[in-house]
Amino acid sequence: MVSPIKKTFVVEHLDPELEAWSSLEYASIARESQASGVRFLLSSVPNTLKLPENLAHVQGLEVEHDSVENLFDKPRVCLLDPAATQELSPADGDKFDVFLFGGILGDDPPRDRTSELRKKGFEGRRLGPVQMTTDTAVRVTRMIVQDRIPLDKIPYVDNPEIKVDEHESTEMPFRYVLDKEGKPIMPEGMVDLIKKDSERGFGDLI
Ligand SMILES: C[S@@+](CC[C@H](N)C(=O)[O-])C[C@H]1O[C@@H](n2cnc3c(N)ncnc32)[C@H](O)[C@@H]1O
């Protein structure tokens, strides 16, 4: 049974800048949230930060300058936290109305920047032991709490290889949901960005 309350998905933007990778992830979350009838809030966006074109006009995105702890009643908020001891379950869709994610680029090895939100005292749930990109974590959470699919029934792939040219490929050190064709679901434009960045070297942010 689907809960009648419209769920809110909040990504608390924790980086000082908004990298191209994040803006593709956020735009993808906005489009999917709009299509599935849930609310998507990007919180803690600095007043001085100018949103890139692809985000400024995307449907389904609400921008909030305030931080998440000033916006919602804490007991109704569930932090998706790779270090939590309990896995997210469909029943959490009845317990919580707001699902909170760190707006952080993935890093390898993970630096536990989700701790910045954990220390604010939100109750945490895990989505399995492997790091996901933020848009994947939102997608999986929506499938669990809105579509009521248990975590262990969601098809995924770990560390997929992206072909960057005829000879080389890049391994993405994350878990992704698979689509109907068995391909990892990534934001629109992400494969091109990966190819472009792989020509320059990724640095430590991926
Ligand atoms: C790219 S991950 C960042 C993980 C990161 N390396 C860190 O420093 O915490 C972005 C967000 O997705 C969510 N997330 C990713 N993988 C998760 C998992 N396995 N369980 C729960 N939440 C996850 C968390 O909300 C996390 O803050």
Side-chain angles (χ1 to χ4, degrees):
M1 203 170 49
V2 176
S3 163
I5 300 167
K6 194 169 177 171
K7 304 273 178 239
T8 301
F9 290 74
V10 180
V11 173
E12 176 98 342
H13 183 66
L14 293 171
D15 287 325
E17 306 292 331
L18 209 158
E19 306 280 342
W21 287 65
S22 299
S23 76
L24 292 183
E25 291 188 0
Y26 296 165
S28 153
I29 297 168
R31 278 191 291 268
E32 287 183 22
S33 299
Q34 166 101 343
S36 23
V38 300
R39 202 174 159 211
F40 170 42
L41 213 74
L42 186 61
S43 59
S44 258
V45 175
N47 282 306
T48 48
L49 196 147
K50 190 174 178 295
L51 288 188
E53 278 297 298
N54 72 316
L55 263 191
H57 305 295
V58 75
Q59 300 263 307
L61 169 70
E62 289 177 51
V63 174
E64 179 56 68
H65 300 292
D66 211 344
S67 170
V68 63
E69 69 265 32
N70 302 324
L71 301 172
F72 300 98
D73 193 19
K74 209 169 271 177
R76 303 301 296 170
V77 180
C78 173
L79 170 65
L80 281 301
D81 181 356
T85 50
Q86 202 176 326
E87 307 292 353
L88 185 73
S89 76
D92 288 316
D94 298 320
K95 181 163 190 212
F96 303 104
D97 308 316
V98 180
F99 296 87
L100 171 63
F101 306 81
I104 314 160
L105 282 177
D107 37 26
D108 186 28
R111 281 180 294 172
D112 190 24
R113 290 193 51 209
T114 310
S115 60
E116 292 178 38
L117 294 170
R118 187 184 314 132
K119 66 186 177 211
K120 296 179 191 238
F122 297 108
E123 195 169 331
R125 293 286 187 272
R126 197 176 75 147
L127 300 167
V130 180
Q131 177 177 208
M132 299 171 177
T133 59
T134 308
D135 62 298
T136 304
V138 172
R139 186 170 299 116
V140 169
T141 300
R142 203 182 50 240
M143 290 169 87
I144 296 173
V145 300
Q146 164 122 332
D147 305 337
R148 305 279 161 148
I149 303 172
L151 179 63
D152 61 1
K153 295 280 179 291
I154 297 175
Y156 62 79
V157 60
D158 292 339
N159 312 323
E161 299 237 326
I162 305 294
K163 217 170 172 338
V164 292
D165 62 33
E166 269 179 50
H167 310 287
E168 283 186 66
S169 54
T170 293
E171 190 180 275
M172 305 306 295
F174 306 110
R175 173 167 288 182
Y176 294 87
V177 177
L178 290 174
D179 67 12
K180 288 196 181 82
E181 279 82 48
K183 296 205 187 97
I185 301 177
M186 290 187 188
E188 215 176 284
M190 187 56 88
V191 171
D192 288 338
L193 187 60
I194 292 168
K195 287 181 183 168
K196 211 162 79 192
D197 282 1
S198 75
E199 286 161 16
R200 303 198 295 249
F202 282 105
D204 66 339
L205 282 180
I206 45 179

